[in-house]
Amino acid sequence: MNFTKIILFGTLLSSIVLGAQTTEKITSHVNPFIGTGAAHGSPLSGNNYPGATVPFGMVQLSPDTRNTPDWSVASGYNYNDSTIAGFSHTHLSGTGVAELFDVMLMPFSGAIVKEEAGQNAYQSKFSHEKESAKPGYYSVELLDYQIKAELTATTHAGFHKYSFPKNKEAHIVIDLDHSMKKSDWNTLIIASQLSFPNDHTIEGYRVITGWAPMRKVFFHAEFSQPIIHNHVTDGGNIYDNAKIVNGNAIRAILDFDTSKQQEILVKVGISATSIENARLNVQTEIPVWDFNATVNAADAVWEKELSKIKIDGTEEQKQIFYTALYHTFIQPNTLSDLSGDYPSVDFTTRKSSKPYYSTFSLWDTYRGAHPLYTILQPERSVDFVNSMLAYYKVFGYLPIWQLWGQENYCMIGNHAIPVVVDAVLKNLSGIDAEAAFEAVKNSSTREHPGSPFSLWEKYGYIPENLKSQSVSLTLEMAYDDWCVAELAKKLGKTDDYNHFTKRSQFYRNLYDKQIGFFRAKDDKGNWIGPFDPLKYGANGGYPFTEGNGWQYFWYVPQDVKGLVGLVGGDNTFTKKLDTFFTLEDKPEEVNDNASGFIGQYAHGNEPSHHIAYLYNYAGQPWKTQQYVSEILTKMYNTTSSGYSGNDDCGELSAWYIFSAMGFYPVNPASSTYVIGSPSLKEASIELNDGKIFKVIAKNVSDKNIYIQSAKLNGKNYTKTFIHQKDIDAGGTLEFVMGSKPNKKWGTKFEDRPIK
């Protein structure tokens, strides 16, 4: 694969597409600092990082502002910090756990300071006034050393440019011990190695276990200037001018002579399989010492990908929208090398002819991000699904939260199932439907920590005294079962369809009609009390997961019609929604993931994300329009505190992208999108076959948030939903907006998004 040719072709293609329409670069609207640090008084901001990466790349080269990142800086960077510890090559975007941070480099000038074992004496102060970022590029001045650090990246490699001051000793630290706190997730570096094959090259690896078990990270680094001396430590052991060091706490200081040339360039290839593949990755993707060319290539790739949606709106809207789109395209991450090698879940190395992907934050991303990928990244969506199916063949069930090729069992249910089913039901080419069904069926029947299926089949619900998080588990597993049933239906598997359809109704078994909530039972069928719908659960020890009874009440996306009937009809349902969005009471202890409140609605975490759209199902679409508009306005901005919660690998971003255009996948595997309140004047989606699906919102403004009328391809349209086939066909969905609700539009039963 010739990376350079691909980039040049992408650049040419971008200029052809954009040239006739606008000279404005879409990448100019992306602000990578959005979501990188909470404002005073805000609990969460996004947990994003500002560093250099390319779409879905293996490498995320970004500054770490802490020596030992923890939950509060899960991406490695916090905008409110004042020092930089170094620049590492792998990061997570928007997650709630700090992980990766592999192969950290840090330049410094002046004398070498004696360090205590495990400490970093070379962090530097920095200022946002001397810091900048754009897609594929990051720069900062390290104030303590008068060094300008610039970073860019390709899919498998990072490229550093360090400009040192004159007449000072120049050094670069390379740290293989840098990680999240060793006390978190039992993090431990099992083995690592640093070797010096010549005076311009370092190679090595580390094997580290933590949130993801037994990660192997290999690297090959080339320097534009010779290393004149190295000082290596491994805990308390010191090695001077070493050729090779093995240990589990390795850090090295490299000395350089910058008297003639103050710039030092460093190319670092990363691999999850071998040093040889790391070397191949970097030498193929960055064949020459041209830093600016790599920056421009990264920008061109981002321009091409972000151009898949073109919008008209305010500058603030463009910045929020395109930064959100940028964040959704950061992950899943390529894990395979250019050779096709990738680390399988059984710790062997396997080969794939297509990219193999990891970083599947599925409890989050199945809701909005993966449906968005099926529209904007259909070919990659196929590769995502096939990566999951390859994983299933070895592991026995689909991934739950897969990182660096390994399972960490984070969160509940198995939400690879709706991702796989959605892709097959949308007829994406290149997926074996029978193999997909085998995977989703077995992942819905084989016991694993995320879903206790023996209890499920025996009781028709999860008893809290046998498995905690029981109400959330019951509701989420019922949805996954609906997905399995739909795929069985498509493939003509009647017995399986009937079986899983029956299981998808198990949610009813935990509905207490006396109090009007889902609540926990024990294995004898008794309600477990006391019950407080305001009380929060975290990730165990309580019936609800990262939420409360109010937020989980609405989680029946497969059968909203049934939920409406369960509570007593449209009026009771909408009154309960009204209370949900206006009830401000909160208990003393609110789970850390609960933020971005409108009443009990908590936009900062995913269980709430579909709820504003539910008024459409009960004949009051103007209230959906009201609350969607409020969320769009209040929960996103252009500051470092731009998100109301963790972005969770692009999920909060995906909600904004869909909702700003005017629709959202309430049931992510249904191929149906429920209409909200479009906030953009215009959005044009470029489809894979060259067709365009355009959404126009006439008269839209901060006050004109209500739909007065709509047309689809020139014909009057009163339905409060559209189908995937409407998007696939191309065409125009046109809204006329106004400042007051039109309580006649979309209110008839046949206009509701109910089958």
Side-chain angles (χ1 to χ4, degrees), residues 444-731:
S444 299
T445 54
R446 293 175 179 174
E447 203 81 1
H448 59 76
S451 300
F453 290 111
S454 59
L455 299 177
W456 189 234
E457 291 278 8
K458 181 177 180 180
Y459 296 100
Y461 61 93
I462 302 300
E464 177 67 19
N465 61 319
L466 301 182
K467 180 72 174 179
S468 72
Q469 306 178 73
S470 61
V471 179
S472 294
L473 268 167
T474 296
L475 295 170
E476 294 193 20
M477 290 169 64
Y479 175 68
D480 289 343
D481 283 345
W482 179 87
C483 295
V484 180
E486 289 299 294
L487 185 52
K489 181 180 179 181
K490 178 181 176 69
L491 298 177
K493 300 179 185 295
T494 303
D495 290 344
D496 287 317
Y497 170 74
N498 291 334
H499 179 70
F500 285 100
T501 297
K502 179 182 177 181
R503 286 191 0 179
S504 75
Q505 292 291 304
F506 281 178
Y507 75 90
R508 295 172 176 268
N509 296 332
L510 290 187
Y511 182 69
D512 185 349
K513 63 182 180 180
Q514 298 299 320
I515 62 172
F517 283 96
F518 296 106
R519 60 181 295 195
K521 284 181 179 178
D522 63 19
D523 59 343
K524 301 296 190 294
N526 301 313
W527 298 117
I528 296 176
F531 175 75
D532 180 359
L534 294 171
K535 185 178 179 181
Y536 277 80
N539 299 95
Y542 193 68
F544 297 98
T545 302
E546 294 190 4
N548 64 17
W550 268 110
Q551 289 150 10
Y552 259 98
F553 173 79
W554 313 99
Y555 191 79
V556 191
Q558 75 277 18
D559 188 21
V560 181
K561 180 181 179 181
L563 181 63
V564 172
L566 206 59
V567 301
D570 292 347
N571 289 337
T572 307
F573 186 78
T574 53
K575 286 180 180 178
K576 197 176 187 78
L577 275 170
D578 292 344
T579 303
F580 174 77
F581 279 103
T582 55
L583 181 61
E584 299 290 346
D585 294 347
K586 297 184 182 69
E588 292 183 4
E589 295 183 6
V590 175
N591 178 260
D592 286 335
N593 288 287
S595 56
F597 283 99
I598 301 174
Q600 290 304 300
Y601 180 89
H603 192 65
N605 210 22
E606 283 72 19
S608 288
H609 277 190
H610 67 295
I611 301 174
Y613 286 87
L614 296 182
Y615 282 106
N616 283 357
Y617 292 77
Q620 294 187 359
W622 66 90
K623 290 183 181 177
T624 283
Q625 295 156 33
Q626 171 192 336
Y627 284 116
V628 167
S629 177
E630 185 175 350
I631 297 164
L632 283 165
T633 302
K634 288 185 176 180
M635 302 303 169
Y636 298 86
N637 61 63
T638 59
T639 73
S640 66
S641 190
Y643 291 89
S644 58
N646 290 336
D647 191 25
D648 288 320
C649 292
E651 182 55 31
L652 261 71
S653 293
W655 190 97
Y656 185 91
I657 293 161
F658 270 126
S659 296
M661 291 192 296
F663 49 90
Y664 181 79
V666 169
N667 179 342
S670 67
S671 297
T672 298
Y673 303 90
V674 182
I675 290 172
S677 175
S679 64
L680 302 170
K681 292 179 181 178
E682 187 173 308
S684 295
I685 302 172
E686 180 183 307
L687 304 173
N688 218 33
D689 58 3
K691 293 177 182 176
I692 300 291
F693 182 75
K694 183 180 293 187
V695 183
I696 298 172
K698 290 185 176 180
N699 304 325
V700 69
S701 68
D702 291 343
K703 294 182 179 180
N704 292 345
I705 64 171
Y706 295 104
I707 296 171
Q708 306 300 299
S709 62
K711 290 182 179 181
L712 180 61
N713 298 326
K715 296 182 180 179
N716 289 335
Y717 195 76
T718 58
K719 297 185 185 302
T720 57
F721 61 92
I722 57 172
H723 292 299
Q724 182 71 34
K725 62 184 180 182
D726 297 320
I727 297 174
D728 291 342

Side-chain angles (χ1 to χ4, degrees), residues 2 67 86 95 161 239 256 261 282 343 441 476 543 546 653 676:
N2 190 317
N67 287 323
T95 61
K161 179 181 179 183
Y239 304 92
F256 296 88
Q261 172 59 264
V282 67
K441 179 180 178 180
E476 294 193 20
E546 294 190 4
S653 293

Side-chain angles (χ1 to χ4, degrees), residues 229-515:
H229 200 95
N230 71 64
H231 318 260
V232 183
T233 61
D234 175 34
N237 299 315
I238 300 173
Y239 304 92
D240 193 50
N241 244 9
K243 290 297 182 183
I244 188 168
V245 175
N246 293 282
N248 56 16
I250 295 176
R251 300 177 71 238
I253 297 174
L254 315 177
D255 299 342
F256 296 88
D257 179 1
T258 55
S259 59
K260 295 180 180 178
Q261 172 59 264
Q262 279 73 56
E263 288 182 0
I264 298 178
L265 302 177
V266 191
K267 301 187 290 187
V268 183
I270 298 291
S271 169
T273 61
S274 70
I275 291 174
E276 291 76 17
N277 279 334
R279 186 186 308 127
L280 174 66
N281 288 341
V282 67
Q283 291 179 350
T284 303
E285 292 184 352
I286 312 179
V288 295
W289 293 98
D290 192 335
F291 183 84
N292 289 336
T294 306
V295 171
N296 292 336
D299 180 79
V301 173
W302 276 115
E303 185 72 21
K304 177 177 179 289
E305 295 298 332
L306 298 175
S307 295
K308 291 181 176 179
I309 305 181
K310 296 183 178 66
I311 68 170
D312 184 10
T314 67
E315 179 52 39
E316 181 182 29
Q317 286 177 324
K318 288 180 180 180
Q319 193 173 141
I320 295 172
F321 186 93
Y322 282 118
T323 303
L325 191 56
Y326 166 81
H327 283 144
T328 62
F329 287 175
I330 286 177
Q331 63 290 292
N333 299 123
T334 304
L335 192 62
S336 54
D337 297 311
L338 289 175
S339 65
D341 292 346
Y342 69 90
S344 178
V345 66
D346 61 356
F347 299 103
T348 63
T349 297
R350 296 174 186 260
K351 191 178 286 288
S352 174
S353 60
K354 293 291 186 78
Y356 181 88
Y357 289 93
S358 188
T359 316
F360 291 117
S361 182
L362 291 160
W363 185 82
D364 309 292
T365 56
Y366 85 93
R367 303 166 196 262
H370 278 282
L372 186 66
Y373 298 144
T374 64
I375 298 171
L376 303 180
Q377 302 283 349
E379 293 179 358
R380 280 195 174 96
S381 290
V382 171
D383 291 339
F384 297 160
V385 168
N386 285 332
S387 296
M388 294 179 192
L389 296 180
Y391 180 93
Y392 157 77
K393 289 179 181 178
V394 177
F395 204 53
Y397 47 85
L398 290 163
I400 298 167
W401 211 124
Q402 192 224 61
L403 177 60
W404 209 258
Q406 293 296 320
E407 185 59 67
N408 62 33
Y409 296 106
C410 187
M411 305 312 294
I412 58 173
N414 190 319
H415 298 312
I417 291 169
V419 173
V420 172
V421 170
D422 184 40
V424 177
L425 294 182
K426 287 176 178 173
N427 298 311
L428 298 189
S429 178
I431 302 171
D432 184 330
E434 289 291 342
F437 181 75
E438 176 194 324
V440 299
K441 179 180 178 180
N442 287 335
S443 297
S444 299
T445 54
R446 293 175 179 174
E447 203 81 1
H448 59 76
S451 300
F453 290 111
S454 59
L455 299 177
W456 189 234
E457 291 278 8
K458 181 177 180 180
Y459 296 100
Y461 61 93
I462 302 300
E464 177 67 19
N465 61 319
L466 301 182
K467 180 72 174 179
S468 72
Q469 306 178 73
S470 61
V471 179
S472 294
L473 268 167
T474 296
L475 295 170
E476 294 193 20
M477 290 169 64
Y479 175 68
D480 289 343
D481 283 345
W482 179 87
C483 295
V484 180
E486 289 299 294
L487 185 52
K489 181 180 179 181
K490 178 181 176 69
L491 298 177
K493 300 179 185 295
T494 303
D495 290 344
D496 287 317
Y497 170 74
N498 291 334
H499 179 70
F500 285 100
T501 297
K502 179 182 177 181
R503 286 191 0 179
S504 75
Q505 292 291 304
F506 281 178
Y507 75 90
R508 295 172 176 268
N509 296 332
L510 290 187
Y511 182 69
D512 185 349
K513 63 182 180 180
Q514 298 299 320
I515 62 172

Side-chain angles (χ1 to χ4, degrees), residues 65-86:
T65 58
R66 309 275 177 91
N67 287 323
T68 51
D70 58 16
W71 182 90
S72 66
V73 284
S75 72
Y77 179 96
N78 189 316
Y79 193 85
N80 300 304
D81 288 343
S82 58
T83 61
I84 287 176

